[in-house]
Amino acid sequence: MALKRGVYLICGLCSLALGLLGIPLPILPTVPFILLAAFCFARSSDSLHRWLMEHPWFSDALSQWESARAIRKGLKRKAYIVSGLSFALSIAIVPIVWVKFMLLFFAIGLGLYLRNIPELED
């Protein structure tokens, strides 16, 4: 049992780190990693799970996801805007053509993923 909790804890910490890196980096999506961190912390550490669920940056989105499997329309709009600007800047800066296409592919994939997430009214 302790080994299983340890694995969940390590996965949760890695997911949280990747989610936090995803805030400024366009290639890493923040939301799935934060959701995975919450899942892992719920199975490994009550204090980290509570901290994440009460954190000012993530608490609203996590509680809405937990209760309704959906996010607010405004949060979804912010995700579109920030992701779009981030990918556009990255595509403009990168000099290698194949990397530009790869970033465009990731941007389209993220947009399709966001579009499929159910919305809650603000």
Side-chain angles (χ1 to χ4, degrees):
M1 190 66 159
L3 179 63
K4 189 176 182 180
R5 285 179 54 131
V7 170
Y8 275 123
L9 180 63
I10 290 169
C11 287
L13 292 170
C14 290
S15 296
L16 180 62
L18 289 171
L20 293 174
L21 280 173
I23 294 171
L25 298 176
I27 293 177
L28 292 173
T30 300
V31 173
F33 286 117
I34 298 301
L35 291 174
L36 180 60
F39 173 84
C40 291
F41 289 158
R43 284 146 184 80
S44 64
S45 171
D46 290 335
S47 60
L48 284 173
H49 184 254
R50 186 174 41 260
W51 172 81
L52 189 60
M53 294 302 286
E54 294 173 356
H55 194 279
W57 289 359
F58 309 119
S59 63
D60 287 340
L62 286 173
S63 62
Q64 290 165 357
W65 183 260
E66 189 174 62
S67 65
R69 294 288 188 250
I71 60 174
R72 287 183 297 112
K73 191 179 281 191
L75 181 60
K76 194 172 182 179
R77 192 175 1 197
K78 281 183 194 175
Y80 278 125
I81 291 168
V82 170
S83 299
L85 290 174
S86 178
F87 273 107
L89 179 65
S90 298
I91 290 169
I93 290 174
V94 171
I96 304 168
V97 175
W98 71 267
V99 175
K100 289 178 186 271
F101 281 112
M102 182 184 70
L103 287 170
L104 180 62
F105 175 76
F106 285 139
I108 292 168
L110 180 59
L112 291 173
Y113 172 76
L114 286 173
R115 190 181 78 188
N116 289 326
I117 295 175
E119 295 177 357
L120 298 171
E121 291 300 320
D122 286 330

